[in-house]
C-alpha cells in the first residue's frame, strides 16, 4: 500500500440499515476508505419483514448480505461487530463481540457516521417483549411466523372450544402501516391460504384484533384514507379497536382498555407488537459523549447538517435523531425508510464536498408521500396530494417496494412469489422453524 493510499481519510459507518447503506454506496469512488460496522452480516428490507412473518416471503428474499452488496466497491470493507462506545477525543469506535471472540477493539476514524436505527418501545413494559415479539428484526419476524402457524396447529388439536378460540385470536398492537399490513396479512392467511389445509378447525373463524390508541388507524395519512383502510380491514375480517390501549400482556390473554376505561381480558396466545418507536441505545451513548441529552423517544439532537454539536466530523442519521434547524426549531422526521435514505445520501455528499473544499447546504427532507398495503389488491397511498385507494394504490405500493429492494436476485424472487401468491392465494414459506 502506498503512502498516498494510507493517507486517505478513514470513514467509519455504524449500521447497515437504509441510512448507513446509502451513505456507503454514495461514497463509491470517493478518495476515502470506508468501513461499515454492523452486528448483522445483512441489510434487512424492513418494509417487507411482515411478509416473512406471515409466510408470504422467505427470510433470504428480504435480506441482502452486506459483503455481497459491497463486493464491487473497492473502497469499502465490512466488519461484523457490535459497537458499545465512542471515544470522540481519540476519534475511535469501540467494538465488541467480534466473530473471532475479540472484545474492546478500537477502530480509528477521521469521519464517523452513526446510523443505529430504532426499535419498538414497550412503554416501560419490557417484560411484555417475550410474549409480544416485534417486527423490526428478522429474528422477530421468524418468531412471529412460528407463533402464528403454531397457533393454527394448536387449534387443530385443541378439544376445548374456549381454548380453541384463544388460539385462533390474534392481537396486533399498533395501527401504523406495519400494524395494518400485519393484521391484513394474518386475516388473508386465515381466510384464504389455510382454509383447506386443516380438517378439524375452520381457520376462517380466526379473530384478528388491531389495537390502536389514537382515534383512527394510519394517523400519518389523511383521515379519508384512514377510514378507507379501516373499512378494507373490516372486509378482510379484521376488527380495528381505535381508542383502545393494551394494559397487560399475559401468556394466553391480553388486557385491553377502551376509551371509557373499561378493561376487557381477551383470550389470545399470539400478540404482535408494532407500536411505539424508541431510538437505538447508540443515540444515548453519543449524547453522553458530548454531554447532551436525548428526548423521550431516545433521539439525539443533531445540527442542520446532521453532525453533532461541536463535532463536525461526527454525523448521526436515521431514526435515532431529530434535527435542530438553523432557525432554532427542532424537527423530528418520521422514522421511515425514505428519511433514512435521503439522510444517508446527504451525508455522503457532505463528505465528498469537504474533500473538494466545498460547503453543503443544510439537509432538507423531500416528502414523497406515504404508502400502506392492507391486503390482496388493497392499499392506500398519499403521494404529494394525490390520494389513491384500492387496486391503483396496491400496484403503486408493489412497484415502489420492488424498486427499493436491494439486489436483482431478490427483486426477481419477490416478484415471482407475489405473482404466484396472487394467482393461487398460496404462501410458500409456511415453515415452523422451531418448536415453541
Amino acid at each position: 500500500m502506498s503512502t498516498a493510499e494510507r493517507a486517505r481519510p478513514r470513514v467509519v459507518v455504524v449500521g447497515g440499515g437504509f441510512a448507513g447503506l446509502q451513505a456507503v454506496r454514495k461514497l463509491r469512488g470517493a478518495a476515502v476508505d470506508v468501513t461499515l460496522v454492523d452486528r448483522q452480516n445483512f441489510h434487512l428490507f424492513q418494509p417487507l419483514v411482515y411478509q416473512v412473518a406471515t409466510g408470504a416471503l422467505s427470510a433470504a428474499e428480504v435480506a441482502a448480505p452486506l459483503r455481497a452488496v459491497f463486493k464491487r466497491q473497492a473502497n469499502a470493507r465490512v466488519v461484523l461487530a457490535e459497537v458499545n462506545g465512542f471515544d470522540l477525543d481519540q476519534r475511535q469506535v469501540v467494538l465488541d463481540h467480534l466473530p473471532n471472540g475479540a472484545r474492546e477493539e478500537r477502530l480509528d476514524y477521521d469521519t464517523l457516521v452513526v446510523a443505529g436505527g430504532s426499535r419498538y418501545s414497550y412503554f416501560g413494559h419490557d417484560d411484555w417483549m417475550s410474549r409480544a415479539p416485534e417486527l423490526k428484526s428478522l429474528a422477530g419476524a421468524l418468531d412471529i411466523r412460528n407463533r402464528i402457524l403454531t397457533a393454527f396447529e394448536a387449534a387443530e388439536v385443541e378439544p376445548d372450544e374456549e381454548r380453541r378460540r384463544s388460539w385462533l385470536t390474534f392481537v396486533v398492537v399498533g395501527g401504523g402501516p406495519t400494524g395494518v399490513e400485519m393484521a391484513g396479512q394474518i386475516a388473508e392467511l386465515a381466510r384464504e391460504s389455510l382454509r383447506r389445509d386443516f380438517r378439524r378447525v375452520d381457520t376462517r373463524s380466526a379473530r384478528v384484533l388491531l389495537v390502536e390508541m389514537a382515534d383512527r388507524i394510519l394517523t400519518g395519512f389523511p383521515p379519508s384514507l384512514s377510514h378507507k383502510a379501516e373499512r378494507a380491514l373490516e372486509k378482510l375480517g379484521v376488527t380495528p379497536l381505535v381508542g383502545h390501549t393494551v394494559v397487560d400482556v399475559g401468556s394466553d390473554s391480553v388486557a385491553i382498555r377502551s376509551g371509557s376505561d373499561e378493561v376487557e381480558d381477551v383470550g389470545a396466545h399470539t400478540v404482535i407488537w408494532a407500536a411505539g418507536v424508541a431510538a437505538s441505545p447508540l443515540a444515548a451513548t453519543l449524547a453522553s459523549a458530548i454531554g447532551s441529552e436525548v428526548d423521550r423517544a431516545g433521539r439525539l439532537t443533531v445540527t442542520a447538517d446532521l453532525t453533532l454539536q461541536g463535532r463536525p466530523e461526527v454525523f448521526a442519521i436515521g431514526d435515532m435523531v431529530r434535527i435542530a434547524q438553523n432557525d432554532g426549531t427542532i424537527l423530528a422526521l418520521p422514522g421511515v425508510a425514505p428519511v433514512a435514505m435521503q439522510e444517508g445520501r446527504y451525508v455522503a455528499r457532505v463528505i465528498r464536498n469537504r474533500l473538494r473544499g466545498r460547503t453543503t447546504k443544510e439537509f432538507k427532507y423531500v416528502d414523497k408521500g406515504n404508502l400502506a398495503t392492507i391486503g390482496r389488491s388493497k392499499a392506500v397511498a398519499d403521494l404529494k396530494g394525490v390520494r389513491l385507494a384500492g387496486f391503483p394504490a396496491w400496484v403503486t405500493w408493489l412497484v415502489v417496494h420492488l424498486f427499493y429492494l436491494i439486489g436483482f436476485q431478490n427483486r426477481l424472487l419477490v416478484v415471482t412469489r407475489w405473482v404466484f401468491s396472487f394467482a393461487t392465494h398460496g404462501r410458500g414459506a409456511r415453515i415452523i422453524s422451531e418448536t415453541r
Side-chain angles (χ1 to χ4, degrees):
M1 182 181 295
S2 69
T3 303
E5 289 175 320
R6 285 197 301 270
R8 284 156 61 102
R10 298 159 298 183
V11 178
V12 173
V13 178
V14 178
F18 286 108
L21 192 79
Q22 287 298 315
V24 177
R25 293 178 89 177
K26 294 304 178 181
L27 287 172
R28 181 175 183 174
V32 295
D33 291 320
V34 186
T35 301
L36 173 64
V37 182
D38 200 299
R39 59 186 176 183
Q40 301 175 140
N41 77 328
F42 58 86
H43 165 77
L44 180 64
F45 192 75
Q46 284 188 355
L48 293 181
V49 167
Y50 76 94
Q51 295 202 9
V52 175
T54 52
L57 297 173
S58 66
E61 291 161 355
V62 300
L66 289 170
R67 295 192 183 279
V69 173
F70 298 115
K71 66 183 178 182
R72 292 186 176 88
Q73 186 168 336
N75 69 337
R77 68 185 285 249
V78 177
V79 172
L80 183 64
E82 188 166 334
V83 173
N84 70 354
F86 305 95
D87 188 336
L88 301 186
D89 292 329
Q90 297 298 319
R91 296 196 178 188
Q92 292 178 330
V93 178
V94 184
L95 306 181
D96 208 349
H97 300 292
L98 280 81
N100 65 346
R103 307 289 300 270
E104 299 295 322
E105 291 287 314
R106 290 181 173 250
L107 183 62
D108 296 312
Y109 67 82
D110 296 298
T111 299
L112 174 64
V113 182
V114 184
S118 62
R119 52 191 172 85
Y120 281 117
S121 170
Y122 287 80
F123 306 113
H125 296 279
D126 288 347
D127 54 307
W128 296 352
M129 195 178 301
S130 61
R131 300 188 289 273
E134 44 77 30
L135 261 173
K136 276 280 187 183
S137 67
L138 193 55
L142 295 175
D143 184 13
I144 291 169
R145 186 182 70 185
N146 288 340
R147 293 175 187 238
I148 292 173
L149 296 177
T150 298
F152 286 108
E153 296 290 346
E156 174 76 357
V157 297
E158 177 57 61
D160 182 79
E161 182 64 30
E162 185 175 346
R163 285 178 56 83
R164 186 185 302 120
R165 278 199 302 270
S166 70
W167 280 113
L168 290 176
T169 299
F170 303 88
V171 178
V172 180
V173 185
T178 301
V180 167
E181 290 164 352
M182 189 70 204
Q185 287 283 301
I186 296 174
E188 286 194 341
L189 180 69
R191 284 158 179 72
E192 296 181 4
S193 302
L194 298 180
R195 64 191 181 91
R196 291 192 179 93
D197 288 12
F198 293 87
R199 299 294 177 263
R200 294 186 59 188
V201 65
D202 183 3
T203 62
R204 293 172 295 180
S205 65
R207 296 173 64 203
V208 183
L209 307 180
L210 177 62
V211 183
E212 169 54 46
M213 185 169 57
D215 60 354
R216 60 186 176 95
I217 62 173
L218 298 177
T219 55
F221 288 73
S224 60
L225 291 181
S226 294
H227 297 320
K228 288 181 179 180
E230 189 170 332
R231 289 196 297 270
L233 284 171
E234 290 171 344
K235 288 180 180 179
L236 283 174
V238 177
T239 303
L241 298 176
V242 296
H244 287 63
T245 308
V246 170
V247 294
D248 191 29
V249 180
S251 59
D252 57 2
S253 66
V254 181
I256 302 175
R257 183 171 59 206
S258 67
S260 58
D261 281 339
E262 295 181 3
V263 177
E264 180 185 2
D265 210 34
V266 178
H269 287 268
T270 308
V271 183
I272 298 151
W273 198 267
V277 175
S280 162
L282 292 179
T285 303
L286 274 178
S288 176
I290 61 171
S292 180
E293 295 181 352
V294 295
D295 68 1
R296 293 178 58 186
R299 291 173 298 197
L300 171 71
T301 302
V302 296
T303 63
D305 64 353
L306 307 183
T307 60
L308 300 192
Q309 185 68 44
R311 297 282 182 175
E313 76 282 2
V314 181
F315 295 87
I317 57 177
D319 299 353
M320 59 180 275
V321 303
R322 58 180 188 166
I323 305 170
Q325 298 182 295
N326 290 334
D327 61 4
T329 59
I330 301 295
L331 177 63
L333 292 169
V336 293
V339 173
M341 294 171 73
Q342 289 184 35
E343 290 181 349
R345 291 194 288 265
Y346 172 83
V347 165
R349 187 164 67 251
V350 173
I351 294 172
R352 283 179 174 273
N353 284 344
R354 286 180 179 178
L355 293 174
R356 303 184 184 107
R358 301 175 183 171
T359 58
T360 311
K361 293 181 180 179
E362 65 181 62
F363 173 74
K364 293 290 186 183
Y365 171 58
V366 179
D367 187 358
K368 298 179 181 179
N370 291 318
L371 293 163
T373 183
I374 300 156
R376 179 187 172 90
S377 301
K378 299 178 181 68
V380 290
D382 179 23
L383 307 172
K384 287 288 192 179
V386 178
R387 299 173 183 178
L388 303 173
F391 187 76
W394 184 68
V395 172
T396 303
W397 183 93
L398 293 177
V399 171
V400 169
H401 284 71
L402 275 176
F403 178 79
Y404 285 113
L405 188 62
I406 301 297
F408 174 77
Q409 176 177 288
N410 280 2
R411 291 190 188 114
L412 182 61
L413 289 172
V414 167
V415 75
T416 302
R417 287 268 198 184
W418 283 347
V419 169
F420 182 80
S421 177
F422 186 83
T424 66
H425 297 266
R427 293 169 186 264
R430 300 202 311 269
I431 304 298
I432 300 175
S433 57
E434 62 181 53
T435 303
R436 291 185 57 232

